[in-house]
Amino acid sequence: MGRWTSGPIRARRPWTPRPSPSPLNTDDVLRIRRAAGVALDRYPGAVGQLIASELLDYADQGFRGDPEGLSERLIADLLGVATPRT
């Protein structure tokens, strides 16, 4: 039975090491917090609160995730910018 998920989520083999995370700088934290504010405006109610909460947790963890990961793609979509590339 095939999986419905495809793309960057399944592109990496399970045994391939992930790149080590880099620390977030102040500009990155501000960008993530700005995206959380946009999420609250764009998606009123529980959905916007959930997205904003997850993004704020991401900013609070202090390390940047995979540039093509879900969090970074969501931030790029909310801020209307191209997905970051390494």
Side-chain angles (χ1 to χ4, degrees):
M1 177 184 263
R3 300 241 180 199
W4 57 268
T5 303
S6 63
I9 294 172
R10 298 279 182 212
R12 184 181 299 121
R13 301 268 189 230
W15 57 84
T16 305
R18 291 181 178 262
S20 48
S22 59
L24 288 171
N25 60 33
T26 304
D27 291 337
D28 289 331
V29 172
L30 292 175
R31 179 178 58 88
I32 295 168
R33 291 186 177 280
R34 190 169 52 248
V38 170
L40 289 172
D41 291 340
R42 188 180 294 176
Y43 304 106
V47 173
Q49 292 172 355
L50 176 64
I51 293 170
S53 173
E54 290 296 320
L55 289 175
L56 293 175
D57 286 345
Y58 176 54
D60 289 344
Q61 79 179 2
F63 290 97
R64 185 174 194 157
D66 186 3
E68 293 186 15
L70 180 60
S71 297
E72 289 295 326
R73 288 184 291 138
L74 177 61
I75 292 164
D77 180 64
L78 289 168
L79 298 178
V81 297
T83 305
R85 299 284 179 200
T86 55

